[in-house]
Amino acid sequence: MSIVRAAEVVVLLCTVYIACGLVFAPFFAWRGVGRIDPAARSAGFGFRLIILPGVAVLWPVLLRRWLAGRQPPSERNAHRHAAADRPRQTSG
């Protein structure tokens, strides 16, 4: 396989990937975003328009989360772990 043929294959794969994303993005922005993120349920048209480019690029991840019906993951960091491990103080 020549280098030119390999480049053509890469460009074709990227084109197919982005085409799938461009088809998926409007449907997800209209219906799917509210199903996987409760905070986005009441989002307006402007928000949905802004997320279209990111949705078009990240479509496999978002499609998987939409089909699974998963909610957004909870943030895990050192601060939250330390706060969870510390005993709560009661006023009294």
Side-chain angles (χ1 to χ4, degrees):
M1 179 185 277
S2 71
I3 198 87
V4 173
R5 182 68 182 142
E8 289 173 348
V9 169
V10 168
V11 169
L12 176 65
L13 291 174
C14 290
T15 303
V16 169
Y17 181 87
I18 292 299
C20 291
L22 291 174
V23 169
F24 172 76
F27 294 107
F28 180 79
W30 180 54
R31 301 281 293 175
V33 71
R35 296 184 84 189
I36 68 168
D37 188 356
R41 283 189 185 127
S42 62
F45 179 73
F47 168 77
R48 294 171 194 279
L49 192 61
I50 289 172
I51 66 169
L52 283 176
V55 171
V57 173
L58 298 173
W59 71 266
V61 175
L62 296 171
L63 177 62
R64 185 173 51 225
R65 286 191 56 199
W66 188 12
L67 293 176
R70 285 191 238 160
Q71 296 296 317
S74 61
E75 181 181 358
R76 296 183 188 144
N77 58 34
H79 175 72
R80 288 190 186 264
H81 289 296
D85 292 340
R86 185 175 46 206
R88 294 185 181 205
Q89 295 179 353
T90 59
S91 61

